Amino acid sequence: MLGLMMQTPLRIAALLEHAAKWHADTEIVSRNTEGGLHRYTYHHAHLRAQQLANALAALGIGPGDRVATLAWNNHRHFELYYAVSGMGAVCHTINPRLFADQLLFIINDAQDRLLFFDLTFLPLVEKLAPHCPQVEHWVLMTDRAHLPAATALPSLLCYEDLLAAQAAAYEWPVFDEYTASSLCYTSGTTDQPKGVLYSHRSTLLHSYAASLPDCFNCSSRDVVLPVVPMFHVNAWGIPYMVPLNGCKLVLPGPGLDAASLYELFEQEGVTFSAGVPTIWFGLLQYMREGQRQFGTLRRMIVGGAACPPALLQAFADELHVEIRHAWGMTETSPLGTVSTLKSKHLALPAEEQQALRNKQGRVIFGVDMKIVDDQGQELPHDGVAFGDLLVRGPFIVGDYFHAAQPGQLTQNGWFRTGDVATIDADGFMQITDRSKDVIKSGGEWISSIALENLAVAHPAVAEAAVIGVPHPKWSERPLLLVVRKPGQDVSAAELLRFYEGKVAPWWVPNAVEFVDQLPHTATGKLLKTQLRQDFAGYKL
Ligand code: AMP
């Protein structure tokens, strides 16, 4: 027997319609790529998204067509999120930090028909264009005054001109909630990037999940500034979560340095923000240098890479911000777990509470997880056993876009994340490594993340990476690679002594090498494949 409730498909356009109707005068503030701030309301954003949908239709875009963006977090990008998906096309956000050959692969694999881009990326787009035959128009996200005098692009259109030519009345179509809405490619450190194709349903369910108290906990009284880019996993779903809750939205544009962020935080009364550890490290240093404090910022999310405990502690103790550690991936929309305490933990001593906050945290509703050994047997939730992390749920990938062998990605309905983790009795998951990065010493596993976290807690260390290098007896042993802070001169022996009493003696790295910098992926993660190549012949 079916239920008798209305059959209203979940659609992305409904989020913006809701905000335009019920939070009409709530603001969206955006730092323009051209300079200066742009300020309008959900009411106006909705009108412009409708104009844009009309413009897309006039350019021949129809259901399922891919429309790409290469853009910062700004109001035009926000309009594209809603206009493209809202009309039934697929909003394909591209990470401009990827290498040119990856970008070409992605644009051609997605078969993007239009590509919208910010002024910053004009030189990049001019290089890509000759190799992207199926892109019919390149649309510069600016006004007529900022169009380049000359360009090599075959068909350049102006965003504001497109909108100006259209009426602001558009009836958002109603379609199946499983319809594709947006497309993101994984960063692909080893293989070619893989496309994750989200649906309206998965996006809406993820937006509800993101809003929950133990997740982002955002309400209509919040002012939200996503530092995490809209070109990387939909800025962790924030552009969808904010209209659902009627939050004021502040979009930082290209200015992601600490001073620019702090200025916006203070000026716009930001209460909530989200970003990767690197960004928060930079901000912490800036706050310390100027002995600054936040006027309104109360909560932050950190994720995308393991967050060193020292950073979590500093934000809480020195800046009085509740900082939540979260884990996720492009394939999980991306929110999977967030580290928030249960009520029984509030009675624990401060260090034990902090030890829980340092973990990647508990699942949000909509995500189920387990850890398994090499034979696929489920491992206990004792906080000690670690194995491959598997997840499932309505906003977890079922198959990659254009998969060579469809239907093979999941096993018995579970997606293998490629991460290795523990889960404790209260359900707190802790990532110990990417499965490719674990160090296997004499048949036992050593967590490179744990060793890196300890190294960066040393006052002389700016950044650290730990990789496994061949060893005649143990097959692999850890090598610590360190970037020292400017003017600091710590020795290898002192760094190794720093591990004493903090980890099992056999975990302590065998050697330390000092480097000027460490390689990173386009999304800011340590590029360990390259480090392993660079140190392939290393003799311990
Ligand atoms: P991406 O799809 O580019 O967002 O990368 C996802 C991967 O980033 C995950 O599979 C993890 O390996 C890593 N990651 C994300 N968040 C965390 C975290 N809080 N701690 C450790 N690793 C993380």
Side-chain angles (χ1 to χ4, degrees):
M1 183 163 63
L2 291 177
L4 292 173
M5 308 311 282
M6 289 186 190
Q7 299 201 346
T8 309
L10 300 172
R11 286 171 311 123
I12 286 174
L15 293 169
L16 189 55
E17 273 183 319
H18 168 82
K21 186 168 177 186
W22 303 109
H23 302 278
D25 58 356
T26 300
E27 276 185 314
I28 300 175
V29 181
S30 154
R31 190 170 264 148
N32 290 324
T33 310
E34 304 91 330
L37 284 184
H38 178 272
R39 199 177 279 280
Y40 67 171
T41 61
Y42 279 118
H43 168 72
H44 290 109
H46 186 224
L47 293 179
R48 280 173 52 92
Q50 291 177 88
Q51 280 178 296
L52 180 54
N54 280 324
L56 292 168
L59 289 170
I61 295 299
D65 286 340
R66 268 78 71 199
V67 174
T69 65
L70 264 171
W72 300 112
N73 291 8
N74 59 41
H75 69 287
R76 295 187 181 110
H77 206 177
F78 180 82
E79 291 157 8
L80 278 157
Y81 264 49
Y82 283 92
V84 176
S85 304
M87 71 179 307
V90 175
C91 184
H92 172 205
T93 50
I94 306 178
N95 184 345
R97 295 182 185 141
L98 293 172
F99 302 117
D101 58 343
Q102 290 178 318
L103 290 172
L104 286 178
F105 171 84
I106 287 175
I107 295 168
N108 291 322
D109 187 63
Q111 294 170 319
D112 297 319
R113 290 187 57 194
L114 305 177
L115 193 146
F116 286 74
F117 64 101
D118 264 329
L119 263 175
T120 320
F121 306 116
L122 179 61
L124 174 65
V125 163
E126 283 177 330
K127 282 199 203 93
L128 297 174
H131 310 286
C132 303
Q134 83 293 341
V135 176
E136 293 158 37
H137 301 285
W138 304 83
V139 188
L140 191 49
M141 293 160 67
T142 191
D143 52 22
R144 182 142 287 272
H146 291 90
L147 283 185
T151 172
L153 285 174
S155 169
L156 181 68
L157 301 175
C158 168
Y159 187 94
E160 291 301 332
D161 284 358
L162 283 182
L163 261 66
Q166 299 297 332
Y170 180 87
E171 189 83 22
W172 299 109
V174 177
F175 38 68
D176 190 319
E177 62 186 24
Y178 284 95
T179 301
S181 60
S182 54
L183 178 63
C184 292
Y185 280 75
T186 59
S187 26
T189 45
T190 40
D191 312 318
Q192 283 291 19
K194 295 184 280 287
V196 180
L197 187 62
Y198 308 102
S199 68
H200 285 258
R201 173 186 157 84
S202 73
T203 305
L204 270 276
L205 293 177
H206 183 264
S207 309
Y208 278 112
S211 310
L212 292 170
D214 275 356
C215 196
F216 289 174
N217 190 21
C218 283
S219 75
S220 57
R221 294 166 302 285
D222 275 302
V223 180
V224 176
L225 185 152
V227 181
V228 50
M230 290 169 74
F231 56 70
H232 183 222
V233 217
N234 301 320
W236 298 350
I238 290 176
Y240 305 116
M241 187 275 301
V242 284
L244 184 150
N245 294 288
C247 317
K248 173 177 166 181
L249 177 62
V250 182
L251 296 166
L256 300 181
D257 59 289
S260 308
L261 288 176
Y262 182 65
E263 184 187 284
L264 269 186
F265 282 147
E266 295 309 297
Q267 184 180 309
E268 298 302 326
V270 172
T271 59
F272 174 86
S273 188
V276 293
T278 328
I279 292 279
W280 298 145
F281 261 119
L283 186 63
L284 175 65
Q285 202 181 335
Y286 178 78
M287 300 296 285
R288 280 177 174 165
E289 279 163 7
Q291 297 191 330
R292 298 175 175 92
Q293 285 290 325
F294 294 115
T296 50
L297 188 68
R298 292 290 166 262
R299 291 187 322 288
M300 314 183 0
I301 299 281
V302 59
C307 181
L311 182 72
L312 294 168
Q313 191 95 45
F315 265 92
D317 295 351
E318 298 172 35
L319 300 170
H320 316 292
V321 172
E322 187 200 348
I323 176 163
R324 293 180 174 181
H325 193 191
W327 167 89
M329 53 199 310
T330 308
E331 288 89 337
T332 64
S333 292
L335 295 169
T337 63
V338 186
S339 210
T340 43
L341 302 188
K342 294 180 174 177
S343 98
K344 68 177 178 185
H345 300 130
L346 300 178
L348 291 175
E351 317 80 74
E352 287 178 43
Q353 292 192 16
Q354 194 55 47
L356 284 173
R357 288 199 189 93
N358 293 344
K359 297 189 177 194
Q360 277 72 8
R362 297 183 288 117
V363 286
I364 43 176
F365 179 74
V367 180
D368 188 14
M369 68 179 174
K370 65 176 177 180
I371 44 173
V372 298
D373 65 15
D374 287 348
Q375 283 74 47
Q377 292 302 315
E378 191 164 353
L379 291 166
H381 292 185
D382 59 8
V384 180
F386 52 97
D388 289 314
L389 178 68
L390 273 53
V391 291
R392 65 178 176 192
F395 44 86
I396 309 288
V397 69
D399 234 325
Y400 288 117
F401 186 57
H402 287 162
Q405 294 170 306
Q408 310 257 309
L409 183 61
T410 55
Q411 287 154 8
N412 300 323
W414 291 88
F415 169 72
R416 188 174 282 266
T417 62
D419 286 322
V420 176
T422 62
I423 302 176
D424 70 18
D426 287 324
F428 284 72
M429 184 273 284
Q430 182 160 29
I431 301 277
T432 56
D433 256 313
R434 282 300 285 171
S435 58
K436 293 180 196 124
D437 297 339
V438 253
I439 299 158
K440 293 182 181 127
S441 171
E444 300 284 346
W445 288 7
I446 296 177
S447 159
S448 65
I449 292 181
L451 295 177
E452 287 157 8
N453 282 345
L454 282 169
V456 294
H458 189 285
V461 174
E463 204 183 5
V466 176
I467 53 167
V469 289
H471 187 279
K473 179 165 176 203
W474 302 109
S475 90
E476 256 189 350
R477 288 293 302 158
L479 167 67
L480 171 63
L481 306 168
V482 167
V483 181
R484 279 181 282 216
K485 283 187 185 156
Q488 299 280 350
D489 194 22
V490 64
S491 70
E494 185 184 335
L495 284 177
L496 294 180
R497 264 200 310 279
F498 193 64
Y499 281 108
E500 280 172 19
K502 299 186 179 98
V503 289
W506 62 275
W507 275 40
V508 176
N510 285 42
V512 184
E513 287 293 325
F514 294 100
V515 291
D516 293 336
Q517 57 183 31
L518 290 167
H520 293 96
T521 67
T523 49
K525 299 183 215 299
L526 283 170
L527 191 52
K528 293 206 181 165
T529 42
Q530 163 142 16
L531 286 173
R532 278 192 288 268
Q533 270 170 24
D534 294 350
F535 289 86
Y538 192 82
K539 294 264 180 309
L540 283 168

